[in-house]
């Protein structure tokens, strides 16, 4: 059986090569992003000067342990490069993210970055988003049931309220997550726009037209592709 962890690490190490001295770096969340933080930690110990903008408490804690200085408070960053994982990537480099529930901060950081690098193992590439991986959507707790009903009506798909250890899953912003089981997302941009019209939705896990560079860990090595953002 192939070792996906090794492929994630391979992709992460390739992504870190885009980080230059003096950069402000957006640090993603999840198991692939973890390898980025570890690799950057080694480089910082060797003298690289960077500042990180973490997309979750988990990433912030790991970055601190690795000695990476963080910008937590200043919220008008200019981020040179943001590096993050994804749950699915389509042929146009659109993504589903939010498996770890950090999609809101991840999207804010990606949107503030001059360059957004996505790293995945090859199993995350799909011909069309949806299907095996549900679309996470962050909703505010007030009226979340009505919001979920609106999402269900729009997508004609099953909406599942996310729980963890028998309790509702709370995001770092204090919101809830619903996972929408959509068979195919043929028009991700249109779906994102329509979802954003529903009151109560804070953010969706659709990352449309945001990827600049896709780095894929495969059994044959690393593949790097440059996206044309429209
Ligand atoms: C967290 C995310 C992650 O980037 C995504 O879930 C991929 O995680 P992993 O690298 O562990 O497979 O969006 O909110």
């Amino acid at each position: 059986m192939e070792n996906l962890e090794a492929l994630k690490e391979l992709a992460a190490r390739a992504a870190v090569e885009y980080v230059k001295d003096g950069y402000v770096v957006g640090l993603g969340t999840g198991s692939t992003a973890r390898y980025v933080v570890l690799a950057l930690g080694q480089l910082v110990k060797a003298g690289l000067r960077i500042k990180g903008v973490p997309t979750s408490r988990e990433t912030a804690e790991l970055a601190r342990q690795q000695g990476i200085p963080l910008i937590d408070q200043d919220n008008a960053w200019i981020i040179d490069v943001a590096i993050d994982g994804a749950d699915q990537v389509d042929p146009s480099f659109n993504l589903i993210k939010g498996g770890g529930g950090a999609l809101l901060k991840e999207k804010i950081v990606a949107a503030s970055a001059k360059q957004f690098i996505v790293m995945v193992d090859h199993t995350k590439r799909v011909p069309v988003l949806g299907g095996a991986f549900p679309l996470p959507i962050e909703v505010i707790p007030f009226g979340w049931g009505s919001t979920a009903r609106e999402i269900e009506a729009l997508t004609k798909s099953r909406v599942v309220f996310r729980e963890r250890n028998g309790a509702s899953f709370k995001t770092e912003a204090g919101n809830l997550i619903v996972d929408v089981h959509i068979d195919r997302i043929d028009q991700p941009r249109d779906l994102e726009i329509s979802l954003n019209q529903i009151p109560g939705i804070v953010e969706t896990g659709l990352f449309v037209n945001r990827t600049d560079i896709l780095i894929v860990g495969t059994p044959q090595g690393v593949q790097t592709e440059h996206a044309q953002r429209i």
Side-chain angles (χ1 to χ4, degrees):
M1 212 171 90
E2 69 181 333
N3 182 351
L4 292 182
E5 284 305 308
L7 300 186
K8 288 180 189 183
E9 186 171 4
L10 201 65
R13 288 195 170 274
V16 161
E17 287 180 20
Y18 289 84
V19 177
K20 306 278 179 266
D21 199 48
Y23 266 19
V24 173
V25 184
L27 304 171
T29 293
S31 57
T32 318
R34 189 172 178 278
Y35 289 117
V36 169
V37 178
L38 294 177
L40 286 175
Q42 286 176 357
L43 292 172
V44 165
K45 286 182 189 98
L48 181 76
R49 289 162 303 172
I50 57 166
K51 285 186 179 151
V53 178
T55 54
S56 62
R57 289 190 202 115
E58 181 191 323
T59 296
E61 180 163 346
L62 182 66
R64 277 193 208 98
Q65 285 167 10
Q66 298 303 310
I68 301 172
L70 297 180
I71 308 179
D72 273 336
Q73 304 304 327
D74 175 7
N75 56 17
W77 327 281
I78 296 177
I79 298 174
D80 294 290
V81 63
I83 308 175
D84 207 345
D87 299 300
Q88 285 189 334
V89 186
D90 80 5
S92 303
F93 307 97
N94 299 315
L95 317 173
I96 286 184
K97 284 183 54 55
L103 63 101
L104 177 58
K105 285 189 181 175
E106 289 173 337
K107 201 182 270 191
I108 293 170
V109 166
S112 323
K114 291 181 195 163
Q115 198 172 40
F116 181 43
I117 300 180
V118 177
M119 345 132 276
V120 290
D121 70 69
H122 67 106
T123 64
K124 306 271 187 79
R125 296 198 89 169
V126 292
V128 61
L129 297 178
F133 202 91
L135 174 66
I137 300 182
E138 182 158 344
V139 298
I140 66 161
F142 181 80
W144 76 265
S146 302
T147 308
R149 200 169 50 214
E150 294 278 314
I151 296 170
E152 216 159 41
L154 175 76
T155 60
K156 299 180 178 46
S157 302
R158 190 164 55 94
V159 174
V160 178
F161 179 64
R162 193 181 291 187
E163 293 183 326
R164 184 180 279 175
N165 303 325
S168 52
F169 177 95
K170 277 271 169 96
T171 69
E172 289 187 11
N175 296 314
L176 306 171
I177 298 274
V178 294
D179 291 299
V180 190
H181 292 255
I182 307 177
D183 285 344
R184 302 173 55 92
I185 303 177
D186 287 304
Q187 305 292 340
R189 184 192 295 273
D190 292 350
L191 180 60
E192 188 185 26
I193 291 169
S194 302
L195 285 168
N196 283 335
Q197 309 295 316
I198 298 177
I201 289 185
V202 179
E203 195 49 86
T204 83
L206 278 174
F207 282 51
V208 178
N209 199 29
R210 295 195 181 275
T211 308
D212 292 301
I213 297 176
L214 175 68
I215 300 178
V216 186
T218 82
Q220 291 74 42
V222 165
Q223 289 170 0
T224 300
E225 293 172 45
H226 291 253
Q228 291 296 329
R229 282 216 245 169
I230 309 152

